[in-house]
Amino acid sequence: MTVEDELEIMGQRLNEKIKNIFGRSLHIREVDAGSCNACEVEVTALSNPIYDIERFGIHIVASPRHADMLLVTGPVTRNMELALLKTYNATPEPKLVAAMGSCACNGGIFGDTYASGGGIDKFIPVDVYIPGCPPRPQAVIFGLMVAVDKLDQKIRKKEA
Amino acid sequence: MKSEYTDSIRKEFGSVILDENVSRNETYLTVKKDSAVKICDYLYHHFDAPLVSIFAADERKADGCFKIHYVFSLDKEDAFLIIKINIDEKSPEFSSITHKIPSANWYEREIQDMFGLVPKGHPDPRRLINFEDWPSDAYPLRKDFDIRTKLPRVKGEYVYRRVEGEGVYEIPVGPVHAGVIEPGHFRFSVAGEPILNLEIRHFYTHKGIEKLFENISIDKAVFLAERVSGDNSVAHAVAFCQAIEKIAGAKIPPRAKYTRTILLELERLYNHLGDIAGIATDVAYAFGAAHANRLKEEVMQLNESVTGSRLLRGMNTIGGVRRDIGGREELILEKLSSLNLDFSDLMELLFASPSVADRIETTGRLYNDIAKGLHVVGPAGRASGIDRDTRRDHPYAAYRELAFDVPVLKSGDVNARTRVRSDEVYESISLIEQALSRFSDGDIKVNIKEIPDGYALGYTEAPRGETLYWVKTSKNRIERCKVRDPSFCNWLAIEYAVLDNIVPDFPIINKSLSLSYSGNDM
Ligand code: SF4
């Protein structure tokens, strides 16, 4: 299967989920909490003409105030900790957090040191973990799908 | 080794040289502490030798003192001259050379933060990496500082430069930006639209990488080098491996050299295509941006077919490469030939578009004297008339055997930086084709069992420019690893390039300089 085929199948599934749950598109704010920048390379790739995730109803927005989800990369450096917390607090509820990449998941190669925080979930609650260093764009799309399911569960729980 | 430079230094300053040590193309001169400024000034102004790095090392255990190294590149001789001084713990200070060599600015402040050695007379002695909420006596690169230390947050204040006057106001931007880019802070002082002053504040992504190098095995350190600045993974990994191979006195097999060259150029291709796409986006040339982004994606998919990684990771190792890329030659050639056609079509359209020309010509000028003073490297330097390229001046991998041009332009604007990259894309394609035509069968790796104690420089020309590693080993571990990413040199240039430009042009200028935050902050 080519990248394009894989993508079509996953993208359509994701699009349906988004429509069912949000009734509109999923707005994502990306936050770099000290990544090596390769995760950003892949997030940027999601918007190129091959992946073009906007067509599946995913929109990368400029402000956390417009976001349904934070897509966070990096191990949370000491110098980024406050900025991450501020961004999290500025995101309206109900919100989702996806930790993208090994270092966001658990500190990865940078570990837990004087400068590196050892993963996002030590600082803010995380809904999905997208492993990889960096995860391929397809893996990110898959991760978003899992995250959207999670939100569905969250909302149902609240309603029940 | 015979060297015009070292001979002359010996003649002029013989009486202050305490020790001399030559290993391969690196000459280390330990001089009296108070004469470093004079000698560096002489090398820099008399010989026009670029100062490519300054770094300290904590050698109190072995030698009872700290050392500071001033690394000069002797491009004509493919050599490096390193001036060393010893600093006693009891008087932890040294004379700043920033007033003579402006590019020393950040290095000296870095040494101050990381080692607690004070550059006396520094024009801007503020903290650089350790933010204001770090305790004042925490020096992470000292050997007695444990990497796992969790420092408390203390009260402190960072004072920005102020520009005052009627109608002047400040625009603070970041660290979290609107686009998908890395974090950093920019503070503009503007009067109406034109920028009067820009102050950048970085090191938000400081991850303690140099300290980490000292705490992991040499094999694993290759993976860490790949993650200093993720989009320049190959350049960093190769520079690191070369330093270790130099210490071990190992020669890597020809097939490994050619493989590395191919990987390095594939990396340059997708980076340059991405930068051109970014510039097209920022001048609202949507068609060009989509086109360039598609080409970048194609190269990244090619990377994946050839190496298993879209970012070419996991290929380099001490002694060569891990996997043979044999069998993919045809695929690479086929992709490159279609890239060549598509790319030249795109460039023709882009440079012929009046709306693009209007936004990029004369925008973000970086004048040659400023670029030189700050030691701006890579395409940004070459677009401002600095004729340097590590591949040519200090050949490594297979570059000595391959033919290529180094495009150099003078105007120093966004246009020149775009054109330098565009020209380099063709050179990279040709380099890969040449490398494939000389690709001979053989081993892809030499086994290096023991890594002796020693030290050496490793260097590459990353897509962003000159990348340097200085590694010192001891008992099969890393004692000190100084990484110098090209962005550490180039970031300050942006403060000059934006002057008198309007705020809306800032993103284009920034993109055209293509700066890494992670590589800078480490
Ligand atoms: S997960 Fe890997 S690629 Fe992503 S930021 Fe961390 S080190 Fe870089």
Side-chain angles (χ1 to χ4, degrees):
Chain A
M1 211 165 21
T2 66
V3 171
E4 281 80 359
D5 297 336
E6 261 173 49
L7 186 67
E8 272 324 303
I9 298 170
M10 283 201 306
Q12 291 311 338
R13 268 170 57 197
L14 179 57
N15 197 5
E16 276 200 0
K17 282 182 201 264
I18 291 175
K19 271 210 197 107
N20 284 339
I21 296 163
F22 292 94
R24 51 182 175 90
S25 55
L26 171 68
H27 287 202
I28 299 179
R29 171 68 236 167
E30 201 264 355
V31 186
D32 176 340
S35 88
C36 78
N37 83 22
C39 275
E40 276 58 41
V41 171
E42 295 300 36
V43 177
T44 312
L46 287 173
S47 305
N48 76 25
I50 310 288
Y51 303 98
D52 189 18
I53 51 160
E54 290 238 356
R55 72 200 153 112
F56 303 131
I58 295 169
H59 193 54
I60 300 201
V61 294
S63 161
R65 299 203 189 279
H66 306 154
D68 305 303
M69 174 197 273
L70 296 180
L71 181 64
V72 191
T73 64
V76 189
T77 54
R78 179 184 161 95
N79 290 348
M80 266 310 283
E81 191 184 319
L82 295 178
L84 174 66
L85 292 177
K86 277 188 193 166
T87 310
Y88 179 78
N89 291 332
T91 313
E93 295 277 359
K95 54 191 159 197
L96 285 168
V97 175
M100 172 181 174
S102 318
C103 58
C105 290
N106 68 355
I109 196 164
F110 305 115
D112 197 357
T113 68
Y114 78 94
S116 156
I120 311 293
D121 61 8
K122 297 217 174 135
F123 304 91
I124 56 175
V126 171
D127 297 289
V128 285
Y129 298 84
I130 308 174
C133 189
R136 300 161 78 218
Q138 293 94 313
V140 181
I141 294 177
F142 183 79
L144 297 180
M145 219 147 52
V146 176
V148 170
D149 277 341
K150 264 236 146 142
L151 188 69
D152 190 27
Q153 288 166 15
K154 264 192 191 175
I155 296 171
R156 272 171 220 257
K157 232 190 213 159
K158 249 198 188 144
E159 282 169 355
Chain B
M1 199 167 104
K2 278 257 2 112
S3 161
E4 178 199 339
Y5 301 88
T6 11
D7 288 349
S8 160
I9 294 287
R10 271 187 216 112
K11 220 158 89 210
E12 291 281 325
F13 301 99
S15 61
V16 296
I17 299 177
L18 306 172
D19 184 38
E20 196 177 322
N21 179 3
V22 182
S23 75
R24 274 153 249 129
N25 67 344
E26 300 163 24
T27 305
Y28 293 81
L29 297 179
T30 306
V31 304
K32 282 195 183 142
K33 182 173 157 185
D34 51 9
S35 45
V37 175
K38 251 192 328 209
I39 298 180
C40 291
D41 185 37
Y42 183 79
L43 275 166
Y44 185 77
H45 286 109
H46 192 77
F47 279 131
D48 220 8
L51 174 63
V52 295
S53 184
I54 308 176
F55 61 91
D58 178 357
E59 299 184 3
R60 283 176 297 171
K61 236 199 187 139
D63 285 343
C65 60
F66 294 97
K67 309 253 162 98
I68 292 185
H69 305 68
Y70 301 87
V71 186
F72 289 89
S73 169
L74 312 177
D75 293 348
K76 270 188 275 162
E77 302 181 351
D78 178 17
F80 293 89
L81 179 57
I82 297 105
I83 304 295
K84 269 171 87 170
I85 53 173
N86 296 335
I87 295 181
D88 187 17
E89 188 177 359
K90 286 192 207 78
S91 113
E93 52 183 52
F94 60 104
S95 307
S96 165
I97 57 167
T98 301
H99 56 292
K100 302 230 185 254
I101 309 177
S103 60
N105 182 351
W106 276 14
Y107 295 109
E108 292 183 339
R109 289 168 66 189
E110 178 186 44
I111 292 172
Q112 173 170 263
D113 282 6
M114 289 288 124
F115 290 90
L117 307 174
V118 182
K120 283 277 163 212
H122 194 292
D124 178 11
R126 285 176 299 175
R127 298 246 191 113
L128 187 69
I129 301 166
N130 305 359
F131 278 12
E132 59 279 6
D133 64 1
W134 293 49
S136 58
D137 56 351
Y139 306 119
L141 284 177
R142 285 195 176 191
K143 289 284 176 194
D144 44 20
F145 182 95
D146 183 347
I147 186 166
R148 285 176 302 263
T149 314
K150 290 286 178 192
L151 297 165
R153 289 191 192 269
V154 300
K155 264 214 153 48
E157 198 195 354
Y158 185 86
V159 185
Y160 287 91
R161 284 193 294 259
R162 282 202 75 92
V163 178
E164 283 169 353
E166 207 183 297
V168 177
Y169 61 98
E170 278 187 349
I171 312 176
V173 180
V176 178
H177 302 287
V180 179
I181 56 169
E182 300 175 72
H185 185 77
F186 300 88
R187 191 160 291 217
F188 300 91
S189 297
V190 295
E193 290 248 280
I195 301 169
L196 298 179
N197 186 53
L198 164 64
E199 181 169 356
I200 55 174
R201 171 146 203 230
H202 282 336
F203 301 92
Y204 285 90
T205 72
H206 175 69
K207 296 182 269 292
I209 288 181
E210 288 183 4
K211 187 79 179 177
L212 209 50
F213 269 110
E214 297 171 14
N215 285 277
I216 56 178
S217 69
I218 293 179
D219 281 338
K220 204 172 164 200
V222 182
F223 298 110
L224 183 57
E226 286 181 336
R227 283 152 185 84
V228 171
S229 179
D231 49 8
N232 284 199
S233 291
V234 186
H236 274 270
V238 171
F240 175 75
C241 291
Q242 286 175 169
I244 300 285
E245 288 152 9
K246 213 169 172 187
I247 294 172
K251 281 215 165 0
I252 68 164
R255 195 169 172 87
K257 282 192 188 174
Y258 279 98
T259 308
R260 280 186 181 173
T261 308
I262 292 166
L263 300 175
L264 286 159
E265 293 308 319
L266 283 171
E267 178 165 271
R268 194 174 330 276
L269 279 178
Y270 87 78
N271 269 275
H272 280 11
L273 290 167
D275 289 341
I276 290 169
I279 293 166
T281 308
D282 286 339
V283 298
Y285 186 54
F287 159 76
H291 200 110
N293 270 322
R294 176 179 70 80
L295 296 179
K296 175 187 178 189
E297 174 66 23
E298 283 185 1
V299 177
M300 292 187 76
Q301 290 188 13
L302 174 66
N303 293 346
E304 190 172 17
S305 334
V306 175
T307 67
S309 158
R310 287 164 53 86
L311 289 111
L312 306 160
R313 285 182 168 175
M315 283 296 286
N316 280 288
T317 183
I318 310 292
V321 291
R322 281 164 189 278
R323 276 188 300 276
D324 199 303
I325 61 168
R328 315 313 198 282
E329 295 89 340
E330 283 305 312
L331 175 72
I332 301 176
L333 288 172
E334 197 185 296
K335 289 277 175 195
L336 289 186
S337 95
S338 76
L339 171 66
N340 203 341
L341 289 176
D342 286 355
F343 183 71
S344 48
D345 280 352
L346 169 63
M347 286 299 102
E348 220 168 275
L349 287 168
L350 184 116
F351 288 123
S353 155
S355 70
V356 172
D358 188 45
R359 294 290 304 278
I360 65 175
E361 282 173 11
T362 71
T363 306
R365 268 216 155 128
L366 182 61
Y367 293 97
N368 178 267
D369 52 342
I370 292 189
K372 233 176 136 193
L374 295 172
H375 186 61
V376 173
V377 297
R382 291 191 280 277
S384 293
I386 298 180
D387 188 5
R388 295 187 75 235
D389 187 320
T390 317
R391 294 173 292 174
R392 182 198 60 201
D393 304 331
H394 299 288
Y396 53 95
Y399 289 109
R400 205 183 286 279
E401 287 121 60
L402 306 173
F404 59 100
D405 281 331
V406 176
V408 178
L409 293 174
K410 292 229 154 61
S411 60
D413 52 3
V414 175
N415 182 30
R417 291 190 281 275
T418 314
R419 283 179 194 270
V420 164
R421 289 201 183 86
S422 154
D423 291 349
E424 290 187 3
V425 165
Y426 299 113
E427 295 299 327
S428 292
I429 295 175
S430 145
L431 278 164
I432 300 173
E433 287 169 350
Q434 291 176 54
L436 283 172
S437 73
R438 292 156 161 261
F439 214 33
S440 56
D441 288 341
D443 290 339
I444 53 166
K445 190 183 166 201
V446 285
N447 273 327
I448 303 171
K449 279 185 207 81
E450 272 298 294
I451 290 157
D453 294 359
Y455 46 84
L457 283 165
Y459 35 82
T460 51
E461 182 76 18
R464 292 195 175 87
E466 178 188 68
T467 302
L468 277 180
Y469 275 68
W470 185 83
V471 186
K472 181 170 187 188
T473 53
S474 155
K475 302 194 192 83
N476 262 310
R477 309 270 314 169
I478 296 167
E479 182 67 21
R480 171 88 173 99
C481 177
K482 171 64 204 162
V483 186
R484 212 280 276 118
D485 185 82
S487 296
F488 191 80
C489 303
N490 288 6
W491 261 116
L492 280 174
I494 202 169
E495 292 187 350
Y496 296 87
V498 298
L499 294 180
D500 289 333
N501 284 264
I502 55 174
V503 178
D505 277 344
F506 171 73
I508 315 165
I509 300 170
N510 191 10
K511 192 69 232 175
S512 73
L513 287 164
S514 177
L515 296 151
S516 165
Y517 300 65
S518 182
N520 176 70
D521 305 353
M522 287 190 306

